Amino acid sequence: MRTNGTGGTGTRGTGTVDRRGLLKLAGGSLAALGLTAAGCGTGSGSDGGIVTIRYAWWGSDDRAKRITRTIALFEKKFPKIKVKTDFQPYLDFWKKFNTQASGGNPPDVFQNAVGFLRKYDAKNVLLDLRGQVDAGNLKLDGFRAGLEKFGEVDGKLLGVPVGSNSMALVVDQAVFRKAGITPKPGWTWDEYYAALAKIRDTQGRAGDSGMFSVMYLYDMYLRQHGKAFYTAEGLGFTEADLTAWWNKAYEGVKSGIYADPKKVSQARPKSAVAAELAASEFTWDNFTIRYTSEGKSQYGLAPIPTTDGKRTGQYLGSLMLSASRRTKHPEEVAQFINFMVHDPEVARIMGYDRGVPATTAQYEAFKPTDPVNRQIAAYEKQLVDTGVLEPITPHPAGADVAEAAFLRIAEEMALGRRSVPDAVQQFFSEAKTAFGS
């Protein structure tokens, strides 16, 4: 997920921000921060009334620095709780976590995403935090837009959101302005394709970076047609559906409204929009910050095209904090999660690094002053105010494997290594295995 992620995590294979490229950007070294990874095999402990909990997450050096500051603040306010930290790039994080979980020694508390809830719940890894809510150690009031329900699966509270994001179209504002295009809420797919063609014809640039593997955009499109990428048990679409979607992507490349996938691949880890190969691409709204740091233009957010001029199929995604079912300190873990999602100072430190703050207290505590973050806040406010947001279906166990397959196969197809029929067949075969059906 681009997870973030769903999750908050981003997913692009032939677009500019593919997961691997993004994760490469998000990689960081513990040594650069002077941090020590939590040791394995010892679990959480206490010494003289001091409780130690282990906290792990994925992300960049900048995220690690921010989180380190929030932990220092937590330990000052809760002097009897110490926090050991560990962070990795996204893929390395999950490899290590899976090893720890399989060995019965996962971190006490860790960053999580919707694609992993059912998977690790089925493996009895995740703590149902509902008991800590009932005990008063964790508050679920004060969340924005119903986000407190984002981590609920089958009546259990398996994660608590720290931020929110949603799919958007990131645009090179200068190119769109020169082409005379102003996307507005409710614009249709036909209008979107016409805009890309106009950019190609008047600006000499592809209108979009491509959509072969933008999994969460495909989910939006399916939702506009009464379906979804996932159901609670598996896939929510057919081989015919995916064939039509990928054929449309191929047609876009041939006509020049989508960027050449090979050039997009060569530009990584730089985004195709910042590399001036395309004028726009679909990604998570909070990823907009990276374009300003990479490119020379001004970048903004445009709405998701619609089928009927109304329904976008959007929902708020979120990174979450989850707890281990094996933790020896559930009360302290709950207090830590509660602090991280409610304390206003945490929001001032983290900003929009993990999305727009999930709780009202933190949302109001951090008022962005830079243009990009202000656009992100305005974009999500518009989604909430217009009532287009829908609930997300909790991803089935195996969704992470299916998503990885989707990304890999879509890229192989985009680069000419697979035909559309072969790619569709291969994906459904791997997804069937992932879901155990």
Side-chain angles (χ1 to χ4, degrees):
M1 242 158 157
R2 238 181 269 212
T3 282
N4 209 312
T6 293
T9 64
T11 54
R12 293 193 73 87
T14 60
T16 54
V17 192
D18 76 309
R19 169 161 294 208
R20 278 160 287 190
L22 178 65
L23 300 177
K24 190 173 181 181
L25 281 175
S29 65
L30 292 172
L33 292 170
L35 297 177
T36 302
C40 296
T42 59
S44 302
S46 59
D47 182 15
I50 302 296
V51 168
T52 299
I53 60 175
R54 294 161 50 210
Y55 173 34
W57 71 92
W58 67 83
S60 64
D61 280 353
D62 180 65
R63 175 177 293 177
K65 291 175 183 177
R66 292 173 187 267
I67 288 179
T68 299
R69 290 174 59 194
T70 66
I71 289 172
L73 187 63
F74 172 78
E75 290 180 338
K76 184 177 180 180
K77 293 190 176 183
F78 292 83
K80 290 188 176 296
I81 306 175
K82 299 301 178 183
V83 183
K84 280 189 174 183
T85 62
D86 185 10
F87 87 101
Q88 309 282 337
Y90 181 87
L91 292 179
D92 293 338
F93 172 90
W94 286 112
K95 287 178 183 177
K96 183 173 183 177
F97 181 86
N98 193 53
T99 299
Q100 292 173 326
S102 298
N105 189 36
D108 295 280
V109 59
F110 52 94
Q111 190 169 284
N112 204 354
V114 67
F116 298 90
L117 293 181
R118 286 188 187 275
K119 174 179 181 175
Y120 286 108
D121 181 44
K123 294 183 177 183
N124 295 316
V125 173
L126 303 181
L127 176 68
D128 183 356
L129 291 163
R130 189 72 61 187
Q132 293 302 316
V133 174
D134 295 340
N137 298 318
L138 177 60
K139 297 188 299 180
L140 289 184
D141 57 330
F143 280 82
R144 300 172 39 247
L147 280 168
E148 72 277 5
K149 298 184 179 297
F150 193 80
E152 290 184 0
V153 175
D154 302 328
K156 292 177 284 189
L157 182 63
L158 303 180
V160 180
V162 294
S164 69
N165 56 10
S166 191
M167 287 296 296
L169 180 65
V170 174
V171 303
D172 185 321
Q173 292 178 318
V175 175
F176 269 66
R177 184 169 55 251
K178 290 176 182 178
I181 300 168
T182 305
K184 296 180 180 180
W187 71 325
T188 65
W189 286 102
D190 286 342
E191 291 171 323
Y192 159 76
Y193 290 124
L196 301 190
K198 188 175 182 181
I199 289 171
R200 175 200 61 197
D201 296 341
T202 65
Q203 305 304 308
R205 189 184 301 187
D208 190 277
S209 62
M211 48 203 294
F212 285 98
S213 64
V214 194
M215 194 191 92
Y216 287 95
L217 174 66
Y218 186 42
D219 188 26
M220 306 295 103
Y221 184 81
L222 288 167
R223 285 170 173 267
Q224 292 178 17
H225 291 81
K227 299 183 178 184
F229 196 95
Y230 292 120
T231 67
E233 292 78 30
L235 298 177
F237 59 97
T238 67
E239 292 187 24
D241 293 328
L242 184 56
T243 298
W245 178 256
W246 275 343
N247 274 333
K248 189 75 173 178
Y250 251 129
E251 293 169 6
V253 172
K254 291 178 181 178
S255 69
I257 63 172
Y258 294 148
D260 181 342
K262 293 181 180 179
K263 292 182 179 179
V264 171
S265 179
Q266 292 168 356
R268 293 175 188 148
K270 196 172 188 177
S271 67
V273 173
E276 299 183 359
L277 297 173
S280 68
E281 69 178 8
F282 292 96
T283 187
W284 297 102
D285 56 16
N286 64 313
F287 288 178
T288 313
I289 299 169
R290 71 165 293 198
Y291 297 88
T292 301
S293 64
E294 287 183 354
K296 301 176 182 178
S297 189
Q298 293 181 325
Y299 308 96
L301 295 169
I304 298 292
T306 70
T307 300
D308 60 3
K310 297 178 181 178
R311 187 179 184 185
T312 67
Q314 285 175 273
Y315 47 80
L316 289 181
S318 178
L319 289 177
M320 292 172 280
L321 294 180
S322 292
S324 166
R325 191 172 181 178
R326 289 177 173 267
T327 181
K328 297 177 182 178
H329 307 290
E331 179 178 336
E332 287 80 4
V333 165
Q335 290 174 329
F336 177 78
I337 295 174
N338 191 73
F339 178 84
M340 290 298 171
V341 300
H342 288 287
D343 189 271
E345 186 58 28
V346 170
R348 297 186 187 102
I349 293 171
M350 294 304 302
Y352 286 177
D353 176 82
R354 297 178 297 191
V356 178
T359 58
T360 301
Q362 291 194 341
Y363 179 80
E364 293 178 348
F366 176 71
K367 297 297 184 182
T369 57
D370 63 288
V372 175
N373 277 317
R374 289 173 66 181
Q375 281 192 63
I376 295 170
Y379 180 77
E380 290 205 10
K381 184 177 187 301
Q382 180 261 327
L383 295 180
V384 173
D385 292 347
T386 55
V388 301
L389 294 173
E390 303 175 4
I392 183 175
T393 301
H395 295 191
D400 58 321
V401 178
E403 181 180 348
F406 188 89
L407 293 173
R408 185 189 74 254
I409 294 167
E411 181 162 8
E412 292 170 353
M413 180 186 57
L415 296 176
R417 298 168 190 162
R418 289 183 183 273
S419 65
V420 170
D422 177 51
V424 171
Q425 183 180 28
Q426 183 66 27
F427 171 70
F428 271 80
S429 175
E430 294 191 29
K432 183 178 181 179
T433 300
F435 298 130
S437 57

